[in-house]
């Protein structure tokens, strides 16, 4: 059984190389996979299922083909694509996951999440997150004309980049106490997430048990994916320009 995890591709028209690399990943690496988890920020911005990112139709077709071929696809919201809805996930044959969930993998039970909810030291962002994840706020935004939503998305993205650049690294990383809290609440010792753009495998102690936190990397000059196969796992990187 082979299961793959990716996150933080930040697909956008200005980076066709990322779309090509994702297409290559779907047609080569993920072929024959039993499951593929898309853990958020697959798109750099998503303003509604009625206004998908330009140029993604070939990727939609590839994902649907993968799903139709027997690969179970899961999609989880990130902080850039939290407006992805069931219309889109139905198109690609994916199941829309809650903000965090426990799934049984070949290596055991794992808590799976995008990861931004773990960055509790960034109180400004946590307040923003609570606002944009509010269903009433989302419905208000989705009711606006597409051109207004495009302008809002650009404004939010610019503000986010500026604010993040001003913050210390520890503020934009996960809070260790929050990690332990969520692991203990879920009663698991394995966590998989993205968001921080700090790919690594961390081992640590939580309530007397050894725990593992696997952090997926973002796609820029390098691409990252986690492969879980039988009782093994690998966090793998590759050159975006090297994708066939």
């Amino acid at each position: 059984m082979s299961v793959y995890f990716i996150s933080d591709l930040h697909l956008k028209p200005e980076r066709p190389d990322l779309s090509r690399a994702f297409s290559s990943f779907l047609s080569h690496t993920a072929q024959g996979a039993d499951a593929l988890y898309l853990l958020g920020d697959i798109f750099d911005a998503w303003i509604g299922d009625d206004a998908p990112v330009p140029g993604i139709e070939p990727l939609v077709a590839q994902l649907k083909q993968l799903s139709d071929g027997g690969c179970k696809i899961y999609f989880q919201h990130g902080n850039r694509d939290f407006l992805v809805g069931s219309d889109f996930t139905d198109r690609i044959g994916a199941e829309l996951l809650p903000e965090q969930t426990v799934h049984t993998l070949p290596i055991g039970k794992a808590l799976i999440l995008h990861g931004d909810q773990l960055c509790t030291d960034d109180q400004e962002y946590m307040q923003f997150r609570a606002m944009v994840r509010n269903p009433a706020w989302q419905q208000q935004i989705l009711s606006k004309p597409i051109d207004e939503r495009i302008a809002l998305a650009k404004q939010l993205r610019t503000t986010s980049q500026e604010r993040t650049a001003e913050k210390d690294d520890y503020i934009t990383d996960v809070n260790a106490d929050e990690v332990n809290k969520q692991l203990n609440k879920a009663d698991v010792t394995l966590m998989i997430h993205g968001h921080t753009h700090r790919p690594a495998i961390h081992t640590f102690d939580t309530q007397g048990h050894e725990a593992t936190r696997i952090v997926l990397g973002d796609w820029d000059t390098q691409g990252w994916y986690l492969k879980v196969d039988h009782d093994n796992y690998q966090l793998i990187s590759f050159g975006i320009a090297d994708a066939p």
Side-chain angles (χ1 to χ4, degrees):
M1 181 178 184
S2 296
V3 181
Y4 291 84
F5 293 81
I6 57 175
S7 72
D8 300 278
L9 277 64
H10 294 277
L11 298 175
K12 52 187 173 182
E14 299 86 350
R15 290 293 305 271
D17 57 327
L18 297 178
S19 294
R20 287 194 296 269
F22 186 33
S23 175
S24 176
F25 172 84
L26 294 174
S27 61
H28 294 88
T29 307
Q31 284 299 307
D34 294 284
L36 171 63
Y37 287 79
L38 310 174
L39 299 191
D41 284 6
I42 304 303
F43 306 102
D44 197 50
W46 191 270
I47 61 171
D49 290 0
D50 59 336
V53 175
I56 68 163
E57 289 306 317
L59 297 175
V60 168
Q62 280 187 275
L63 286 163
K64 187 62 167 64
Q65 183 179 39
L66 194 65
S67 174
D68 289 344
C71 177
K72 183 65 177 178
I73 299 179
Y74 299 97
F75 189 99
Q76 200 165 45
H77 290 135
N79 54 295
R80 296 292 186 92
D81 50 17
F82 53 82
L83 289 178
V84 164
S86 58
D87 286 350
F88 175 74
T89 53
D90 286 348
R91 288 183 62 203
I92 64 174
E95 177 182 338
L96 187 59
L97 295 176
E99 289 188 0
Q100 55 189 62
T101 186
V102 174
H103 278 199
T104 301
L105 305 175
I107 53 175
K109 290 185 177 181
L111 177 60
I112 299 166
L113 62 167
H114 176 62
D116 59 327
Q117 59 268 67
L118 301 170
C119 301
T120 55
D121 289 320
D122 192 346
Q123 296 182 11
E124 180 185 40
Y125 171 71
M126 296 305 289
Q127 292 174 359
F128 171 79
R129 186 182 192 278
M131 178 185 74
V132 301
R133 294 300 183 99
N134 185 307
W137 184 91
Q138 293 185 0
Q139 288 303 313
Q140 181 182 16
I141 296 303
L142 291 172
S143 68
K144 294 181 180 294
I146 289 176
D147 58 345
E148 289 188 27
R149 282 183 266 160
I150 291 173
L152 176 61
K154 289 180 179 178
Q155 177 188 346
L156 292 176
R157 185 166 58 244
T158 299
T159 301
S160 173
Q161 291 170 343
E162 291 174 350
R163 296 286 178 83
T164 299
E166 297 170 354
K167 296 173 182 175
D168 293 332
D169 286 346
Y170 83 90
I171 292 178
T172 58
D173 202 355
V174 302
N175 176 281
D177 290 339
E178 186 66 19
V179 168
N180 284 322
K181 174 184 174 182
Q182 295 305 326
L183 282 171
N184 295 332
K185 182 179 178 181
D187 193 26
V188 297
T189 56
L190 174 62
M191 174 184 286
I192 301 171
H193 71 85
H195 178 66
T196 64
H197 299 190
R198 296 173 170 93
I201 298 175
H202 302 274
T203 57
F204 53 97
D205 180 82
T206 179
Q207 293 194 338
H209 300 283
E210 183 178 275
T212 302
R213 180 169 65 93
I214 304 174
V215 187
L216 304 171
D218 63 308
W219 289 30
D220 188 9
T221 57
Q222 294 287 115
W224 292 85
Y225 64 91
L226 172 68
K227 180 182 181 182
V228 179
D229 193 4
H230 302 297
D231 58 351
N232 298 310
Y233 62 87
Q234 293 177 285
L235 186 59
I236 300 169
S237 67
F238 62 94
I240 291 295
D242 298 331

